[in-house]
Amino acid sequence: MNYSYSDGSTPVGLDVGTSRIVAAWPADNGYRFSSQLNSFVTLPNSRLTEGVLRKESVPHTVRGNEIIVHGNESERFADLIGAELRRPMTKGFLNPGEPESMPMMQNLLLSLLGPAAHARQKLFFSVPAPPLGAHDSLTYHEATLRQILGELGYDAKPINEGLAVIYSELESSNYTGIGISFGGGLCNVCMSYLAVPVIQFSVPKGGDFIDSNAAAVTGEMINRIRMIKEDGFFFNAISPDKAHQVLSVYYDDVIQSVVQAMRDVFQQAKSLPRLGRPIPLVLSGGSVLAGGFRERFEQALRQNDFPVPISEVRLAAEPLNSTSRGAVIAALSEM
Ligand SMILES: Nc1ncnc2c1ncn2[C@@H]1O[C@H](COP(=O)(O)OP(=O)(O)OP(=O)(O)O)[C@@H](O)[C@H]1O
Ligand SMILES: [Mg+2]
């Protein structure tokens, strides 16, 4: 059941991720989450197929001679018919090269959230920080999501993904510290001082980069590599398994890219607050679920002379939910 305030309003937090979209609502015992894969697949249209999909309640749309299956079921159907999954987003942003990205996003958000329950229902949606040294993709991405969510009736505002991780995980340090999300499309880094973001940037590498490069080297399908990775990959220098060995090479590449970018950005920052004491660093996002990730990251940080003293490096309590949790906390703070 939805948790509502005395004025009947219910805030929503939304994590618009390259691989998954997660919604969060306040609930009696904390928060309630629901998620959909951010992907789709097209099937040839036939009355029979459509009838079966409807009977099985598989989210889909019929367009001309195609049926589009989107969200969680798309993976199974892509596998069944041997087709590639199509993705509305790439590297953290709406994919301008995918003509269906906007209608697919509309369908996914409608099936996940439904229309707003009341006038001016508050919703915070996560957006990546601008990638270092890349052209601006944020303006179009943010404006399009605002438009889609506005059409569903929400009063929608963006929140930086790294800051959302801090809101979710660093209440105990008064929202002072570093939050990093290691996602599918990219990694987001944010440093905040008393809930005010001081530094934020993204690195355009994540789980997808690991999967596609490991697939190219091993000759496996990307999907297969992703399944191997999600099903028990752990960092181990002497793994006899070829796929694990290749995965760890690209995993290390992502960790090194983020840590080196952090060192450079923090070293060059002109306006770092005088902190007085070491600050906590929290790791979140699906890519931190690999066994031994925390230790590997901490080791890389130590080897790279990171200029800010860190009190602890810890994993988020629920790495797949912290962005949406932080977004709903941001919405609650404005009630
Ligand atoms: N158990 C697991 N072990 C390793 N990796 C995992 C595991 N579960 C999920 N992942 C990986 O996490 C990534 C997705 O993480 P997440 O859901 O945080 O990304 P996202 O928010 O959708 O993307 P982004 O924030 O980059 O736009 C994928 O690359 C996925 O393969
Ligand atoms: Mg994410």
Side-chain angles (χ1 to χ4, degrees):
M1 201 178 76
N2 271 8
Y3 183 88
S4 295
Y5 288 85
S6 49
D7 65 353
S9 54
T10 316
V12 190
L14 186 68
D15 169 7
V16 187
T18 310
S19 47
R20 290 159 63 257
I21 306 186
V22 189
W25 297 268
D28 289 338
N29 53 353
Y31 301 93
R32 178 170 75 81
F33 301 94
S34 176
S35 74
Q36 285 284 337
L37 278 180
N38 194 356
S39 57
F40 65 98
V41 67
T42 43
L43 313 172
N45 188 1
S46 84
R47 281 249 175 94
L48 198 66
T49 313
E50 207 214 330
V52 177
L53 292 179
R54 197 169 323 120
K55 211 169 109 202
E56 299 279 327
S57 306
V58 175
H60 66 282
T61 9
V62 179
R63 193 116 48 84
N65 51 10
E66 282 181 340
I67 299 178
I68 302 173
V69 174
H70 47 84
N72 292 341
E73 295 287 341
S74 61
E75 194 166 54
R76 185 157 61 94
F77 279 89
D79 215 36
L80 274 175
I81 62 169
E84 282 289 357
L85 273 181
R86 287 164 70 182
R87 317 267 298 266
M89 283 168 55
T90 176
K91 295 188 178 171
F93 298 92
L94 279 165
N95 180 0
E98 171 53 71
E100 298 290 339
S101 69
M102 173 129 172
M104 279 310 102
M105 201 52 117
Q106 278 167 321
N107 284 332
L108 279 163
L109 292 176
L110 180 63
S111 50
L112 191 59
L113 301 169
H118 55 80
R120 305 207 57 71
Q121 185 171 13
K122 269 209 163 54
L123 179 151
F124 271 69
F125 63 99
S126 66
V127 293
L132 285 177
H135 71 280
D136 169 59
S137 343
L138 185 58
T139 310
Y140 168 75
H141 176 81
E142 193 179 304
T144 307
L145 286 170
R146 250 183 212 271
Q147 184 191 332
I148 296 173
L149 293 164
E151 281 166 5
L152 289 175
Y154 292 94
D155 175 11
K157 286 191 190 159
I159 175 168
N160 170 267
E161 176 158 30
L163 185 62
V165 170
I166 289 172
Y167 279 8
S168 171
E169 309 297 321
L170 291 182
E171 186 185 1
S172 58
S173 66
N174 287 324
Y175 310 106
T176 295
I178 297 176
I180 311 180
S181 167
F182 281 85
L186 79 185
C187 296
N188 268 284
V189 180
C190 178
M191 177 194 168
S192 137
Y193 180 65
L194 302 176
V196 178
V198 184
I199 286 181
Q200 36 195 344
F201 63 91
S202 67
V203 175
K205 280 182 183 176
D208 293 342
F209 168 89
I210 297 170
D211 303 346
S212 57
N213 283 289
V217 171
T218 55
E220 294 274 8
M221 299 275 290
I222 293 179
N223 234 10
R224 170 108 192 85
I225 282 289
R226 190 177 47 76
M227 277 152 53
I228 295 173
K229 180 188 74 176
E230 292 180 6
D231 189 23
F233 165 77
F234 59 96
F235 287 96
N236 176 1
I238 46 162
S239 172
D241 183 302
K242 171 89 172 157
H244 279 211
Q245 199 193 335
V246 176
L247 278 166
S248 81
V249 169
Y250 290 103
Y251 239 118
D252 274 334
D253 183 325
V254 172
I255 292 177
Q256 285 296 335
S257 302
V258 170
V259 169
Q260 284 167 16
M262 286 171 64
R263 182 198 57 203
D264 296 348
V265 170
F266 280 77
Q267 261 171 7
Q268 285 156 22
K270 294 194 184 67
S271 57
L272 277 187
R274 261 182 240 276
L275 294 162
R277 64 173 110 147
I279 56 171
L281 185 155
V282 62
L283 302 170
S284 183
S287 295
V288 310
L289 292 168
F293 184 93
R294 196 199 67 78
E295 291 75 10
R296 200 75 164 194
F297 177 89
E298 194 169 6
Q299 194 183 20
L301 198 66
R302 257 194 259 118
Q303 285 166 352
N304 272 278
D305 294 326
F306 186 58
V308 177
I310 298 295
S311 57
E312 57 164 342
V313 174
R314 72 172 137 95
L315 291 184
E318 293 177 275
L320 293 170
N321 290 342
S322 39
T323 301
S324 60
R325 187 174 185 271
V328 75
I329 290 171
L332 279 164
S333 73
E334 290 212 347
M335 302 292 291

